């Protein structure tokens, strides 16, 4: 028995060391792959391997509001920050939009499902074109969703809904009988709020600066942009931050 004791102890150590990895849920695997989505990135573009694995395991996981929101978030990342043709981008966003449209009615009170459905719908609209999206009512739907998210949690996803709604007010044209609500004043209010609430996200600095420029506040815009460039891309949002900081550098180089 004494001779068997070291063997039993060793076996116990091996089992307890390996078991947590074996017991890892599909959702936990997906989260790990999503966290590593920027690994081996080529500049501003992520490789598809990690995000595809994240999507695979999110789809396998138990369908909860948290899982659905994470899956929609992963689809948006794949469509926006990996190397895809325009056709593949549209297909990726369309899959997410169809999924989100199904689940926002099932999880009506979940801010994550609502938000990431909205972001994919916005990406889809940008890809098909402003006029097509406006005529199909997409712009009005995104506006309504953004207002709902702001009401639920105005700082969710680093004030993302305020930023998105502000960008729409800033960039969408007024189209008679189709789109009458865009307002540069409302854009400035929303984007300033997003920036003041979540200055750590360079996307908020970038678009707040654009709103300032539209209001002839060039000096303040440059100050906001230079402040953003003092920060390094965050590990948690490496590709997203790289893209926004690159856009900020280009704005400054053009002597806005």
């Amino acid at each position: 028995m004494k001779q068997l004791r070291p063997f039993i102890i060793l076996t116990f150590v091996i089992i307890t060391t390996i078991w947590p990895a074996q017991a890892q849920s599909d959702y936990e695997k997906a989260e790990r792959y999503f966290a590593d989505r920027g690994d081996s990135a080529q500049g501003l573009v992520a490789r598809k391997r990690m995000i595809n694995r994240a999507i695979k395991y999110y789809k396998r996981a138990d369908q909860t509001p948290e899982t659905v929101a994470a899956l929609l978030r992963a689809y948006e990342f794949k469509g926006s920050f990996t190397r895809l043709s325009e056709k593949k981008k549209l297909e990726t966003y369309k899959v997410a939009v169809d999924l989100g449209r199904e689940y926002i009615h099932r999880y009506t009170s979940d801010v994550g499902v609502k938000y990431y459905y909205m972001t994919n719908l916005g990406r889809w609209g940008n890809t098909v074109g402003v006029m097509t999206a406006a005529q199909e009512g997409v712009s009005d739907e995104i506006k309504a969703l953004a207002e709902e998210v702001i009401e639920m949690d105005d700082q969710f996803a680093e004030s993302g809904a305020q930023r998105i709604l502000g960008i729409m007010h800033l960039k969408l044209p007024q189209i008679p009988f189709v789109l009458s609500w865009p307002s540069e004043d409302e854009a400035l209010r929303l984007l300033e709020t997003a920036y003041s609430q979540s200055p750590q996200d360079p996307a908020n600095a970038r678009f707040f600066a654009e709103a300032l420029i539209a209001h002839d506040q060039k000096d303040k815009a440059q100050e906001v942009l230079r402040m953003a460039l003092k920060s390094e891309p965050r590990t948690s949002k490496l590709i997203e931050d790289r893209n926004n900081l690159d856009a900020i550098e280009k704005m400054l180089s053009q002597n806005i």
Side-chain angles (χ1 to χ4, degrees), residues 34 66 68-77 96-97 100 104 110-122 149 156-158 237:
F34 186 80
E66 185 180 30
V68 172
L71 177 57
L72 294 173
R73 178 188 61 181
Y75 276 128
E76 186 202 354
F77 181 88
V97 166
I104 59 168
D110 189 81
V111 67
V113 172
K114 198 180 296 287
Y115 176 79
Y116 288 111
Y117 165 60
M118 175 188 70
T119 59
N120 278 285
L121 188 60
V149 172
F156 184 79
E158 298 179 312
K237 297 187 73 174

Side-chain angles (χ1 to χ4, degrees), residues 14 109 159 162:
I14 292 172
S109 62
S159 306
Q162 301 207 65

Side-chain angles (χ1 to χ4, degrees), residues 186-206:
E186 185 65 2
L188 182 62
R189 184 189 71 79
L190 287 161
L191 292 167
E192 184 172 17
T193 301
Y195 176 69
S196 64
Q197 289 182 165
S198 305
Q200 72 277 10
D201 191 337
N204 290 333
R206 171 186 173 185

